[in-house]
Amino acid sequence: MNRPSSNWRLFVVTALAGACLLGAASAHAQDLSDYSLEDLLTAESTSVAKRRQRVNDSPAAVTIITQEDILRSGAQSIPDLLRLVPGVEVGQIDSASTAVSVRGFSTRFANNLLVMIDGRSLYVSGLSGVLWDQQLVPLSDIERIEVVRGPGATLWGSNAVNGVINIITKDSIQTQGWQANAFISGDARNATLRYGGSGERLSYRAYVTARDLDGLTKADGQPWSSGSSAIQAGFRLDAVPNDRDTVTLQGDVQHGNFVADLLQTPPRVQQPDYYPFNGNFTGANVLARWSRQWSDQREFSLQAYYDLVRRRELGVDVTRALQDVDASLRLGSDRQELVLGLNYRRTTDSFESSDSFVSFSLPRQTTQWISGFVQEDVWLMPERLRLSIGTKAEYNTISGFALQPSIRLLARPSDAITLWAAASRAVRTPARFEQSVNVDLGMPAGSSMNPLPINMLARVQGQPSLSAERLDAFEIGARGSLGSALTYDIAAYYNRYHNLIGYEATGQSMSYSPAPVMILDYRSANIGWGRTLGLEASLTFSPLPGLRLQGTGSLQDLSFKTKDDTSISHAVAGLSPKFQSGLRASYDIGPDLEVDAWLRHVGALSSSDIPAYDDLDLRINYAVLPRLNLSLIGQNLLTERRIEFAQQLYPSPRSYVSRSVALRVSLDF
């Protein structure tokens, strides 16, 4: 199998495995008996109001994935962790790409979802999405992941349409000393080595992490040519020069290689089904943040970062350089609170094609974003009824000016019940890929994508005059507790989309030189509108000390209407499951032994003919020594293999995720 070079993995995995035999070190993960169900409601989120706020005080559908959730899930990537959240859709395409979305619109590049790490946007505007295989932050360094299901554009701006995912890493004072982690299974290997230290009013950490993945398989279990390997190193420095100020400086560098397969091929390639291609990526970022807090109700924050992403895929070299400066001010009293913010962002991206089947009418472009927001929270009845109202005013050089307002109401009829409702507007700016790309996708006769006896060529052309997509969203929800052993969280929503961008047919023709080919012409366009209805719920029950049960479920209905019969319907409607559910059980058998089980169901994807599936993950963790933990993890145990996602517009063959058993070793010393 043609695989990217990964000699470094042998050194890293061997070194960490050896380190784990050297000695004994810190207390093992917090057990369930130390974690009350009330913590689920009092845990703090910053993504809904751009300030620390208890989940129970948030007038939005928000879920927090804690460090305990991360450890006990057995997951080894951020997309796998997001499967824990109701309303989040995750489908692995191949070893180098994953589709992640919230409340529908599932594609490889989910263009309605804003994802951040410590306030640094991962959204690549040229592609309108996130490159998930390049997100290599060590899971052990994550304090929590805040997932807001629903619009967040009033605070975070364009493209925070269907949701916001904010990955927040630990303060370096929480990661002192050495830590080594290694994960080894039949198809994946990853390892992390970290060191943290501190001085007077100063703490720091540095890490290196490496990952190596085999490719997914065909339906018969035979491997594709795909696979990937990557390495990342980074640091974080936190300083507290006085009682009012905090300063953070952090950064990362990365490099990776991957091999993937094309199902559709350029016209000159005449093999019937697929061919492998090599790709690679590099990245670097640096972020600085200063905060000053005069009191519990007065705070100022200034953040700036630079983020560089380079990637070669499908014969195209993509470069994105982003500079961002953000300032926010919070002023409050016992009855009300005002949050103000200003942001400037400059993005330069380029697409250079070395292959004739992909080209760009505008290979290089610089875009600028200027925005300000204001949000005010007012307690109409102290501790019982609160109104939040605000708007984002934004100008960008892609689609012009937009206002993105929201109004939210929170009511607490009793200490055990919280009700909330919200109405919001959000926009998504067109990607430059949609505006300027020219793609010729060849589909040889008799291939998986073209069963006809004649070769076909689909020509897709971008359009620079696209309007921004717009969402009007309406939400209601309830959360609270029933006694000391049961908590619940329910949200319902109605979303209405305008100016949806898709592809419309413009004609067809025949070419007979050098061989007969049917040519189908398409162009990007604002093809119509859509609406979604949905319901999401989670229930947590702790009947015994050391035992926790958590059930989640989501139900949604999506429909899209195009302008005329010549338009291609928004095919992503059938790329989202109508129903998902999950049940997690965590039990502390003793002070040194933990058992976790995670059963889940994912509905069918109708437009790709992908069946529903049920699956089970198991984890057994044993604290061999106070600082040495061994975990045996079984993933995807109910089926030998399953397919999770396939999308016609992205030329990847149907690939299957296999059952696996893994060993995880964690040592603090």
Side-chain angles (χ1 to χ4, degrees):
M1 179 172 62
N2 183 19
R3 291 293 314 278
S5 174
S6 57
N7 293 332
W8 51 263
R9 65 149 178 187
L10 298 176
F11 167 76
V12 175
V13 172
T14 302
L16 291 182
C20 290
L21 299 176
L22 292 179
S26 95
H28 82 107
Q30 176 188 41
D31 61 49
L32 293 177
S33 62
D34 296 329
Y35 197 92
S36 69
L37 290 185
E38 186 181 0
D39 293 332
L40 297 174
L41 300 178
T42 59
E44 291 185 329
S45 166
T46 59
S47 301
V48 177
K50 224 169 188 179
R51 59 179 173 82
R52 288 190 174 274
Q53 185 180 67
R54 297 186 309 166
V55 169
N56 204 34
D57 292 335
S58 299
V62 57
T63 298
I64 295 181
I65 302 174
T66 66
Q67 176 59 210
E68 182 193 12
D69 293 326
I70 294 171
L71 289 173
R72 303 195 69 140
S73 70
Q76 294 302 307
S77 69
I78 293 173
D80 280 345
L81 286 170
L82 296 174
R83 298 178 194 265
L84 296 168
V85 182
V88 177
E89 304 160 24
V90 179
Q92 190 169 351
I93 303 172
D94 55 37
S95 64
S97 55
T98 307
V100 178
S101 67
V102 174
R103 294 181 174 178
F105 291 84
S106 188
T107 66
R108 184 194 173 186
F109 299 115
N111 50 35
N112 289 283
L113 177 64
L114 178 65
V115 184
M116 300 175 287
I117 295 180
D118 292 325
R120 173 174 59 88
S121 175
L122 307 181
Y123 193 90
V124 179
S125 57
L127 299 172
S128 248
V130 175
L131 297 164
W132 284 103
D133 62 322
Q134 295 189 215
Q135 311 316 318
L136 302 174
V137 57
L139 300 189
S140 58
D141 286 355
I142 296 175
E143 177 183 304
R144 66 188 186 276
I145 301 176
E146 300 177 359
V147 182
V148 180
R149 308 182 308 278
T154 298
L155 296 180
W156 303 105
S158 294
N159 308 316
V161 178
N162 278 12
V164 176
I165 297 175
N166 195 1
I167 302 160
I168 299 172
T169 62
K170 297 176 181 176
D171 190 296
S172 56
I173 197 65
Q174 300 173 274
T175 54
Q176 297 296 286
W178 288 93
Q179 185 184 79
N181 288 291
F183 176 93
I184 303 172
S185 72
D187 57 8
R189 295 141 298 272
N190 63 62
T192 300
L193 183 63
R194 182 190 74 202
Y195 176 73
S198 62
E200 185 176 357
R201 292 186 173 271
L202 179 71
S203 59
Y204 60 89
R205 69 165 173 264
Y207 74 90
V208 60
T209 186
R211 180 194 66 197
D212 185 73
L213 303 175
D214 295 338
L216 304 189
T217 70
K218 303 177 184 178
D220 61 3
Q222 295 299 310
W224 288 108
S225 304
S226 58
S228 65
S229 60
I231 188 167
Q232 178 169 300
F235 75 95
R236 174 164 172 159
L237 177 71
D238 293 285
V240 187
N242 53 58
D243 294 338
R244 294 186 299 177
D245 297 320
T246 59
V247 178
T248 297
L249 180 67
Q250 61 191 85
D252 311 276
V253 293
Q254 61 177 200
H255 176 73
N257 298 284
F258 58 90
V259 176
D261 296 288
L262 277 178
L263 183 62
Q264 299 161 312
T265 62
R268 65 180 181 278
V269 179
Q270 297 301 318
Q271 57 189 12
D273 220 7
Y274 75 94
Y275 72 98
F277 69 90
N278 294 292
N280 60 73
F281 62 81
T282 58
N285 65 81
V286 61
L287 178 148
R289 181 171 52 251
W290 166 56
S291 297
R292 165 162 288 191
Q293 186 170 8
W294 293 278
S295 67
D296 291 341
Q297 298 171 332
R298 296 177 61 206
E299 184 178 12
F300 174 77
S301 179
L302 178 65
Q303 174 181 282
Y305 66 86
Y306 174 80
D307 192 0
L308 175 66
V309 173
R310 288 195 175 102
R311 188 179 184 94
R312 178 172 178 79
E313 184 173 347
L314 298 177
V316 180
D317 293 311
V318 180
T319 301
R320 192 284 311 261
L322 186 155
Q323 302 96 43
D324 185 280
V325 180
D326 185 270
S328 63
L329 175 66
R330 179 172 63 90
L331 302 171
S333 64
D334 293 338
R335 294 289 300 270
Q336 66 183 57
E337 187 167 67
L338 180 68
V339 182
L340 307 166
L342 293 172
N343 176 265
Y344 172 75
R345 176 175 298 178
R346 184 176 186 269
T347 300
T348 301
D349 62 298
S350 67
F351 295 84
E352 297 181 5
S353 175
S354 59
D355 206 316
S356 61
F357 82 103
V358 181
S359 63
F360 293 85
S361 58
L362 188 62
R364 182 180 176 87
Q365 186 179 45
T366 297
T367 58
Q368 300 187 68
W369 310 67
I370 302 173
S371 65
F373 78 87
V374 56
Q375 178 165 296
E376 185 168 19
D377 294 353
V378 179
W379 284 102
L380 304 178
M381 298 174 60
E383 301 300 320
R384 294 300 180 190
L385 185 64
R386 190 182 75 215
L387 175 68
S388 300
I389 188 168
T391 190
K392 182 91 163 184
E394 180 179 87
Y395 174 80
N396 65 76
T397 55
I398 300 174
S399 57
F401 179 78
L403 279 176
Q404 300 177 84
S406 72
I407 181 169
R408 298 177 181 271
L409 188 67
L410 182 140
R412 188 173 293 130
S414 72
D415 292 340
I417 301 174
T418 297
L419 307 175
W420 61 271
S424 312
R425 170 167 289 182
V427 301
R428 178 184 79 86
T429 56
R432 199 156 63 82
F433 188 88
E434 296 166 323
Q435 293 177 311
S436 65
V437 73
N438 298 292
V439 180
D440 293 342
L441 293 176
M443 295 172 281
S447 67
S448 301
M449 293 298 296
N450 176 22
L452 299 178
I454 186 172
N455 293 334
M456 298 180 68
L457 172 64
R459 300 191 302 199
V460 181
Q461 185 177 37
Q463 296 296 314
S465 58
L466 297 173
S467 300
E469 295 183 347
R470 189 180 84 245
L471 164 68
D472 294 320
F474 306 91
E475 304 170 88
I476 58 173
R479 64 173 66 93
S481 59
L482 299 174
S484 60
L486 184 67
T487 66
Y488 61 89
D489 194 338
I490 303 171
Y493 60 91
Y494 172 73
N495 290 344
R496 192 170 181 87
Y497 301 88
H498 307 267
N499 299 326
L500 288 172
I501 298 172
Y503 298 95
E504 64 180 5
T506 58
Q508 66 181 54
S509 59
M510 288 292 300
S511 173
Y512 296 94
S513 178
V517 176
M518 179 182 291
I519 300 174
L520 307 174
D521 290 312
Y522 302 95
R523 66 181 179 186
S524 56
N526 295 103
I527 62 172
W529 60 270
R531 65 114 180 110
T532 60
L533 291 165
L535 178 68
E536 300 154 351
S538 65
L539 189 69
T540 303
F541 181 48
S542 184
L544 298 170
L547 174 63
R548 176 181 294 176
L549 304 175
Q550 185 174 47
T552 60
S554 62
L555 180 67
Q556 65 178 342
D557 180 72
L558 301 87
S559 64
F560 301 92
K561 182 179 179 181
T562 56
K563 293 179 179 178
D564 53 61
D565 293 337
T566 63
S567 296
I568 299 176
S569 177
H570 221 281
V572 294
L575 290 174
S576 296
K578 290 187 176 181
F579 177 69
Q580 295 187 99
S581 62
L583 176 63
R584 295 173 59 207
S586 299
Y587 184 45
D588 295 334
I589 296 177
D592 300 322
L593 185 62
E594 302 170 344
V595 178
D596 299 275
W598 181 12
L599 179 67
R600 60 187 181 275
H601 169 83
V602 178
L605 308 185
S606 58
S607 66
S608 294
D609 193 28
I610 293 178
Y613 68 85
D614 301 288
D615 231 324
L616 174 68
D617 291 355
L618 293 175
R619 169 186 174 268
I620 301 174
N621 182 80
Y622 179 58
V624 181
L625 296 168
R627 302 185 180 186
L628 176 62
N629 281 264
L630 298 179
S631 295
L632 183 64
I633 301 169
Q635 296 176 314
N636 314 316
L637 297 178
L638 295 186
T639 56
E640 186 174 0
R641 67 187 64 89
R642 67 163 186 268
I643 184 171
E644 293 187 352
F645 196 84
Q647 180 183 341
Q648 291 186 356
L649 289 179
Y650 179 69
S652 176
R654 297 169 74 89
S655 301
Y656 289 74
V657 179
S658 299
R659 177 188 296 137
S660 67
V661 177
L663 176 68
R664 183 178 183 272
V665 184
S666 178
L667 173 67
D668 294 282
F669 57 97

